[in-house]
Amino acid sequence: MTAAERRNAILSALVTAGSPLTASSLASMFDVSRQIIVGDISILRASGHYIEATSRGYIMGDDRATFPFVGTIVCKHDTTGVANELNAIVDCGATCIDVTIDHAVYGELTGKLDISTKFDVRLFAERMSGEDRPLSTLSGGLHMHKIGCQNAEMFEKVCESLRQIGVLVED
C-alpha cells in the first residue's frame, strides 16, 4: 500500500468509525508506526480535511459537512489586528471557523468562532472592547484558524489577503 492509498484508507476509516480512532489503533490497522499515522493526519489536515484530535482519538469534524474545503492558517498580530484579519477572511467569502493557540501549560486551546460576515466581525470586536481579550493574547499574538471555504481557490484568496495585510505566518 502506498502512502497515498493509506491516507485514503485512514479517511475512510475515520468516516465510517462509530467512535474516535487512536493513532495507535490506526497504526495497527495499517501495519505502520504511530508516528507515521500522526504524520499522515497532518498531511490530510494540510490538504483540507477537517480531522479533529480528541482525548479519545481522531474524528472527522462536523465542519467537513458544512464546508467543501477547510484549510488552516497561522497568523500573528496584536489585538489591534483582529478585526482587520477577520474582515480579510470574510471579504473573500470564507468563514473563520475557530481559533487555536499553543499554550505552554494546557497545550492546544481552541475557541469556536463561526465568523462569516462583517456583522459577525463587528459583534466579535465589540465583545473585545471591554475586559475580554482574544485567546491569542496568551500566545504573544500567534494563533491558527480553520477557514471554511467553497474550494481551494477561495482558500488561496484568503491567504493572499492575509499576506497583503502582513498577518499571515508562512514557512
Side-chain angles (χ1 to χ4, degrees):
M1 174 179 289
T2 68
E5 290 169 337
R6 183 180 60 248
R7 288 183 200 112
N8 285 333
I10 290 169
L11 282 175
S12 294
L14 290 171
V15 167
T16 59
S19 59
L21 297 174
T22 66
S24 297
S25 66
L26 288 166
S28 292
M29 287 170 65
F30 300 108
D31 197 29
V32 294
S33 71
R34 181 188 172 286
Q35 192 57 39
I36 294 289
I37 296 298
V38 170
D40 285 344
I41 295 293
S42 294
I43 290 167
L44 289 167
R45 285 175 170 160
S47 64
H49 298 284
Y50 183 45
I51 301 170
E52 189 174 341
T54 72
S55 60
R56 296 176 21 233
Y58 294 113
I59 59 170
M60 293 299 293
D62 294 335
D63 294 321
R64 183 164 159 70
T66 306
F67 300 102
F69 184 90
V70 176
T72 301
I73 57 168
V74 178
C75 292
K76 185 172 183 178
H77 54 78
D78 61 18
T79 57
T80 62
V82 174
N84 287 338
E85 173 194 48
L86 294 172
N87 278 318
I89 293 166
V90 303
D91 284 349
C92 294
T95 296
C96 186
I97 297 169
D98 64 18
V99 60
T100 300
I101 65 161
D102 187 14
H103 191 272
V105 175
Y106 298 110
E108 276 191 5
L109 297 176
T110 300
K112 196 82 167 146
L113 295 176
D114 288 326
I115 294 175
S116 56
T117 66
K118 284 192 174 281
F119 179 75
D120 296 339
V121 173
R122 187 170 51 96
L123 290 177
F124 186 76
E126 286 173 4
R127 283 189 303 233
M128 287 190 320
S129 64
E131 293 180 19
D132 295 326
R133 296 286 172 243
L135 197 54
S136 61
T137 59
L138 299 174
S139 59
L142 187 64
H143 57 284
M144 295 184 299
H145 289 297
K146 285 193 187 89
I147 306 296
C149 301
Q150 292 302 310
N151 51 47
E153 292 78 23
M154 179 184 282
F155 180 70
E156 285 306 315
K157 286 181 186 177
V158 169
C159 292
E160 182 55 34
S161 183
L162 295 170
R163 203 174 283 122
Q164 287 177 3
I165 63 171
V167 300
L168 186 68
V169 175
E170 300 181 270
D171 296 335

